[in-house]
Amino acid sequence: MTIVRLGYVAMSMNLQNCSPSQTMTFTQFQKIKDREAAIEKLEKIAQSNIQNCLRLLKHNVAHDIHFFRFSSKLIPLANHEELRDWKYMSNLDESLAEIGEYLKKHPMRVGFHPDHFVVLNSTQKEIMKMSLKTLHMHEMLLKGMGIDPEHRCVIHIGGAYDDKLKSLEQFIHNWGLIPLSLQRMLIFENDDTTFDLSDALYLCEKLGVPQVFDYHHHIAFHEDPDWEQHWDRIVGTWKESTLPIKMHISSPKNEKDFRAHADYIDPNMFLTFLHTVKGSIDQIDCMIEAKQKDNALFQLVSDLKSHSEIEWIDQSSFKIK
């Protein structure tokens, strides 16, 4: 028997005016002639995004959702090169602390997935510098919420740069240049175009980092289709973590656009995975990456209700026998 907890990404399809990713372009910023007023507007947007995060957490608690990914766009233009003097964390203490207090009362697994601009195997100093600045921002946000940053940030491995093996070794080289606190925060995911499960496992085992298994990515891109033979190794990468093993679930949009995420989750595809791993682990947290966000979670729960091998714990968690 294995406990399964479902989660979703960043935004609700049910809450009105609750985007945590409101933004301002740098062009819009420049149009405000008073720089101080422009920065004040940026700070108000960031405050609004964080307050909307709190609304989302309350929505999750109402539906027994114990797993949630924060938007990485909480602070617009946070690391823009023309705003190096902006101390963007300076007025967020109270709002972040409020989220932290709420999570103490209502424990929930939360984390981030920085976008594809975070590339840690680049040979270009500016790309590495910006990647580390972005990761540092995520670390500060987590600390501001009173959350231990360890294993809270999922990243992809990066680009192949025409030589995948060399790029993996470049990642290992660059890893030694990354502050230890940021190393502790990271977990790696297999992707659907460049670095497959075997590549990700190679790095995770070499560097002592947990592996996030993306089932859809694996089906879309692999050298060896048999992920089952690697499952024990995936589980093994989590042995030093205080958090349960984590995976991503999504379904292909269609055969032509197989890599794109569908609106909802194919329950049969998901059950095929669960029946393979059940009993091998005590618990697994499954992050739903679907266009319909929380509605995809609710639909998946509805689709699974008729299966006798599933015993429901609450509205989004169950045991599979």
Side-chain angles (χ1 to χ4, degrees):
M1 185 180 291
T2 295
I3 293 173
V4 180
R5 296 195 305 182
L6 302 176
Y8 70 99
V9 174
M11 189 178 298
S12 169
M13 304 300 287
N14 294 277
L15 298 182
Q16 299 299 312
N17 303 313
C18 196
S19 171
S21 306
Q22 300 165 90
T23 192
M24 177 196 294
T25 66
F26 187 65
T27 300
Q28 291 169 328
F29 178 87
Q30 286 180 304
K31 287 180 180 177
I32 302 173
K33 293 180 180 179
D34 184 334
R35 182 179 172 83
E36 190 173 320
I39 287 176
E40 186 177 333
K41 186 168 183 181
L42 279 178
E43 291 177 343
K44 284 181 179 177
I45 293 172
Q47 286 279 12
S48 177
N49 285 341
I50 291 169
Q51 286 299 315
N52 283 344
C53 279
L54 184 57
R55 286 183 62 199
L56 286 160
L57 294 179
K58 291 178 178 179
H59 170 69
N60 294 347
V61 168
H63 294 90
D64 298 326
I65 296 169
H66 313 286
F67 187 28
F68 182 65
R69 181 192 298 168
F70 288 122
S71 168
S72 286
K73 299 177 181 177
L74 296 178
I75 308 175
L77 303 181
N79 292 317
H80 197 282
E81 59 183 12
E82 298 296 328
L83 287 165
R84 287 190 294 267
D85 59 328
W86 176 32
K87 307 298 182 186
Y88 53 78
M89 292 293 292
S90 60
N91 75 331
L92 300 179
D93 291 355
E94 288 186 16
S95 296
L96 291 172
E98 193 176 358
I99 286 179
E101 286 302 312
Y102 190 77
L103 287 172
K104 284 179 185 175
K105 294 175 184 175
H106 308 279
M108 189 183 308
R109 182 176 185 172
V110 293
F112 286 101
H113 191 346
D115 64 28
H116 62 280
F117 294 113
V118 173
V119 181
L120 296 185
N121 69 340
S122 177
T123 58
Q124 297 183 41
K125 288 183 179 179
E126 280 306 309
I127 291 176
M128 278 296 295
K129 183 179 177 181
M130 186 57 68
S131 296
L132 294 181
K133 281 181 69 176
T134 300
L135 291 176
H136 182 57
M137 177 192 73
H138 286 81
E139 182 186 31
M140 288 193 294
L141 286 168
L142 288 165
K143 286 183 173 179
M145 297 175 193
I147 298 166
D148 183 351
E150 186 169 12
H151 302 155
R152 300 284 182 167
C153 246
V154 184
I155 62 166
H156 290 169
I157 293 166
Y161 304 111
D162 298 322
D163 189 333
K164 191 164 77 167
L165 183 59
K166 185 177 179 181
S167 295
L168 285 170
E169 296 309 312
Q170 184 68 45
F171 192 108
I172 293 168
H173 169 78
N174 289 358
W175 188 253
L177 308 175
I178 297 170
L180 185 59
S181 65
L182 296 185
Q183 289 183 8
R184 286 179 62 249
M185 184 174 69
L186 298 178
I187 47 183
F188 303 156
E189 173 192 0
N190 57 299
D191 66 54
D192 58 356
T193 58
T194 309
F195 295 103
D196 69 3
L197 173 58
S198 296
D199 300 321
L201 266 175
Y202 168 72
L203 278 188
C204 287
E205 291 175 336
K206 186 103 173 172
L207 302 175
V209 174
Q211 156 80 44
V212 176
F213 180 48
D214 190 307
Y215 187 46
H216 179 191
H217 283 179
H218 173 75
I219 296 170
F221 176 70
H222 53 257
E223 289 186 14
D224 176 7
D226 184 11
W227 63 269
E228 295 95 329
Q229 68 170 323
H230 301 296
W231 179 247
D232 287 344
R233 291 175 61 198
I234 295 170
V235 173
T237 65
W238 287 89
K239 64 184 178 182
E240 300 298 327
S241 180
T242 58
L243 297 170
I245 187 170
K246 173 181 179 178
M247 72 165 295
H248 291 168
I249 57 169
S250 54
S251 297
K253 185 176 180 180
N254 51 51
E255 280 299 321
K256 185 178 179 181
D257 200 2
F258 193 87
R259 288 183 169 91
H261 292 171
D263 287 347
Y264 297 96
I265 300 298
D266 177 350
N268 294 322
M269 179 178 171
F270 184 40
L271 281 170
T272 297
F273 170 80
L274 290 182
H275 280 299
T276 304
V277 304
K278 67 182 180 183
S280 65
I281 42 175
D282 294 329
Q283 180 176 320
I284 184 167
D285 292 343
C286 300
M287 178 57 67
I288 293 170
E289 296 186 318
K291 298 294 185 185
Q292 282 293 310
K293 308 291 185 181
D294 55 341
N295 277 345
L297 186 154
F298 299 144
Q299 184 60 54
L300 180 59
V301 168
S302 177
D303 291 338
L304 296 177
K305 286 288 187 183
S306 62
H307 291 265
S308 59
E309 71 272 33
I310 289 176
E311 177 186 330
W312 289 93
I313 299 170
D314 56 30
Q315 295 180 73
S316 77
S317 307
F318 58 88
K319 296 176 183 177
I320 182 161
K321 298 175 280 187

